Amino acid sequence: MKKAIVVASINTSFPNDEKHYFGVDRGALYLSKQGIMMEEAIGDFDTVNEDEMNLISKYSKNIHRLNQIKDETDLEVALSRIINLNFKEIDIYGALGGRVDHLYANLILLNRYINQAKIKLIDVNNEITILNEKKEYELLKNKFKYHSFFAQDEALISLEGFKYDLYHYLLTKNDIITISNEIMSKRAKLTIHSGSLLYIQSKDKY
Amino acid sequence: MKKAIVVASINTSFPNDEKHYFGVDRGALYLSKQGIMMEEAIGDFDTVNEDEMNLISKYSKNIHRLNQIKDETDLEVALSRIINLNFKEIDIYGALGGRVDHLYANLILLNRYINQAKIKLIDVNNEITILNEKKEYELLKNKFKYHSFFAQDEALISLEGFKYDLYHYLLTKNDIITISNEIMSKRAKLTIHSGSLLYIQSKDKY
């Protein structure tokens, strides 16, 4: 299964042993400065100077330059192009810091391609994805202490092996009862009986 | 109209000329260190030592100490108590940084009391609220460059005087077309014909 690594800002930590990189706007500059070859650099590059643009060109198989006046965000265009290239797994780094409007828009984008690819938003303290299959998920204890589940509309779920377990609980979209749960032993079980969940793994900054 | 200022974390900038302050967990410590008298300090205070707790007591008319094991977040309990005290306007500072799960939960809380109070989440770079009245809103050019609107479910809206105007546009919850708009002159007009919006004002960090 083809996996894309998307880097959307500078000073972002990302894995350097993958095959297919995409740089979004200043993320493309950051990747090229690390000497990482990109499938494509996408953005309006309005804050990038000529020397920097040359560096990006050197490290990109393709550059997709957007008009500054546009109806879509850079990441939105990038995702649509990556989906069209048939990537089924897309990890996005550097899309959670900064402005809350962008963060919120990026959560919306997670939803848009839910049936075409498994998309994650990742930074050092958070990993976010959508779970929408009616099945039992095995979740492993990992570097993230907290596991939070939010219903998209509503979701019927069960949790087993967590600090706070639930049995056939109907979670509504205004419910925050399933925030900051913790996996008690090595693994735990989440069952989605119906609906879909925003799944946020997180740890404290300090 | 009674206005509550809620401070939910440390190193948070907030106005110091208001009448009614509430400190949530370490926010209460921060307020007491600034010598500001609180109506109430609310939290489990699990990271606060005895000396700090004494300082909080000195600056709080009332302390509502929560069990560490609880089904609700500290801010959730605080909001419910403040609403019960009949505050109609609640500005929350220090609830946008840190973990994305908390940020997302706080966006959900904005919704919960929509018919009882006007609640805002505020930090130096963002101001977030929900607009749910079918009317014409006059929005003034201010320190926030960007004005973003997201539909809660769906909303029919018009924008006039913005960089990107819209006329009777049906915004759905997966739509991010109305992100990062800008007010062109002194004032602009948003009309909500139906539905409700998450309204995020923001500016870049640098």
Side-chain angles (χ1 to χ4, degrees):
Chain A
M1 196 159 67
K2 282 209 297 181
K3 179 176 183 174
I5 303 293
V6 181
V7 176
S9 65
I10 56 172
N11 301 326
T12 297
S13 113
F14 60 88
N16 56 11
D17 56 351
E18 293 284 342
K19 278 186 184 160
H20 306 288
Y21 288 87
F22 292 82
V24 177
D25 214 63
R26 289 187 73 77
L29 179 62
Y30 189 62
L31 279 167
S32 56
K33 280 186 175 169
Q34 318 287 311
I36 287 182
M37 196 68 201
M38 287 168 267
E39 304 294 319
E40 192 163 82
I42 299 141
D44 58 25
F45 301 112
D46 59 337
T47 62
V48 170
N49 67 33
E50 207 187 313
D51 283 351
E52 292 172 331
M53 206 63 224
N54 287 336
L55 187 68
I56 291 175
S57 306
K58 196 178 150 191
Y59 284 101
S60 306
K61 293 185 193 163
N62 189 24
I63 292 186
H64 187 71
R65 194 159 190 162
L66 306 171
N67 197 318
Q68 240 187 284
I69 306 291
K70 57 184 179 300
D71 277 347
E72 295 169 293
T73 68
D74 293 351
L75 185 59
E76 188 175 12
V77 175
L79 266 183
S80 140
R81 294 178 67 81
I82 295 167
I83 293 280
N84 281 336
L85 290 169
N86 212 24
F87 284 90
K88 295 296 180 201
E89 210 177 323
I90 305 171
D91 288 357
I92 304 171
Y93 293 82
L96 293 175
R99 280 162 41 196
V100 177
D101 54 349
H102 275 145
L103 189 156
Y104 192 80
N106 294 342
L107 293 179
I108 290 178
L109 287 180
L110 275 188
N111 248 325
R112 188 176 294 174
Y113 299 107
I114 190 74
N115 295 316
Q116 287 151 276
K118 186 173 174 54
I119 305 176
K120 284 184 197 164
L121 298 168
I122 303 171
D123 73 6
V124 176
N125 295 91
N126 305 276
E127 187 175 313
I128 306 178
T129 194
I130 289 182
L131 305 175
N132 70 329
E133 290 177 63
K134 284 180 214 174
K135 67 168 200 179
E136 209 178 276
Y137 294 83
E138 188 185 60
L139 305 179
L140 302 176
K141 201 178 182 89
N142 58 18
K143 68 171 178 170
F144 296 109
K145 182 174 180 188
Y146 302 108
H147 299 258
S148 300
F149 307 97
F150 300 101
Q152 300 284 88
D153 285 304
E154 59 176 43
L156 189 67
I157 63 168
S158 296
L159 297 175
E160 199 184 321
F162 286 85
K163 191 167 177 181
Y164 309 96
D165 281 346
L166 290 172
Y167 179 72
H168 282 257
Y169 185 86
L170 185 66
L171 193 67
T172 71
K173 67 176 177 176
N174 284 329
D175 217 338
I176 62 171
I177 196 171
T178 43
I179 192 175
S180 303
N181 219 328
E182 297 172 39
I183 295 176
M184 292 315 278
S185 178
K186 277 185 185 162
R187 66 198 72 228
K189 230 165 60 182
L190 154 73
T191 309
I192 299 184
H193 307 289
S194 71
S196 79
L197 294 177
L198 183 69
Y199 174 33
I200 303 182
Q201 300 177 65
S202 66
K203 61 189 179 73
D204 288 312
K205 283 215 164 77
Y206 40 85
Chain B
M1 196 159 68
K2 282 209 297 180
K3 180 175 183 174
I5 303 293
V6 182
V7 176
S9 66
I10 55 172
N11 300 324
T12 298
S13 112
F14 60 87
N16 56 12
D17 56 351
E18 293 284 343
K19 277 188 185 159
H20 305 288
Y21 288 88
F22 291 82
V24 177
D25 215 62
R26 289 186 72 77
L29 179 61
Y30 188 61
L31 278 167
S32 55
K33 280 185 175 171
Q34 318 288 311
I36 288 182
M37 197 66 201
M38 287 167 268
E39 305 293 319
E40 190 163 82
I42 300 143
D44 58 24
F45 301 110
D46 58 336
T47 63
V48 170
N49 67 32
E50 207 185 314
D51 282 351
E52 293 171 331
M53 206 61 227
N54 287 337
L55 187 67
I56 292 174
S57 305
K58 195 177 150 191
Y59 284 100
S60 307
K61 293 186 195 163
N62 188 24
I63 292 185
H64 187 71
R65 193 159 192 163
L66 306 171
N67 197 319
Q68 237 187 286
I69 306 290
K70 57 187 178 298
D71 278 348
E72 293 169 295
T73 68
D74 293 352
L75 184 59
E76 189 176 11
V77 175
L79 266 183
S80 139
R81 294 179 67 82
I82 295 166
I83 293 280
N84 281 338
L85 290 170
N86 212 24
F87 284 90
K88 295 297 179 201
E89 209 178 322
I90 304 171
D91 287 359
I92 304 171
Y93 293 83
L96 293 175
R99 281 161 41 196
V100 177
D101 54 348
H102 274 144
L103 189 155
Y104 192 80
N106 294 341
L107 293 179
I108 290 177
L109 288 180
L110 275 188
N111 248 326
R112 188 175 295 173
Y113 299 106
I114 189 73
N115 295 317
Q116 287 152 277
K118 187 174 173 54
I119 305 176
K120 284 184 196 163
L121 298 168
I122 302 171
D123 73 7
V124 176
N125 295 92
N126 305 277
E127 186 174 313
I128 306 176
T129 194
I130 290 182
L131 305 176
N132 70 329
E133 289 177 65
K134 284 181 213 174
K135 68 168 201 179
E136 210 177 275
Y137 294 84
E138 189 185 59
L139 305 178
L140 302 176
K141 203 178 180 88
N142 57 17
K143 66 171 180 170
F144 297 108
K145 181 174 180 187
Y146 301 108
H147 298 258
S148 301
F149 308 96
F150 300 101
Q152 299 284 89
D153 285 305
E154 60 176 42
L156 190 67
I157 63 168
S158 295
L159 297 175
E160 200 184 322
F162 286 86
K163 189 167 178 182
Y164 309 97
D165 280 346
L166 290 172
Y167 179 73
H168 280 258
Y169 186 85
L170 185 66
L171 192 68
T172 71
K173 67 177 177 176
N174 283 329
D175 218 337
I176 62 172
I177 196 171
T178 43
I179 192 175
S180 303
N181 219 329
E182 296 172 41
I183 295 175
M184 293 315 279
S185 178
K186 276 187 187 161
R187 65 198 73 231
K189 227 165 62 184
L190 154 73
T191 310
I192 300 184
H193 308 287
S194 70
S196 79
L197 295 176
L198 184 69
Y199 174 34
I200 304 182
Q201 299 177 67
S202 66
K203 59 189 181 73
D204 288 313
K205 285 217 163 74
Y206 37 86

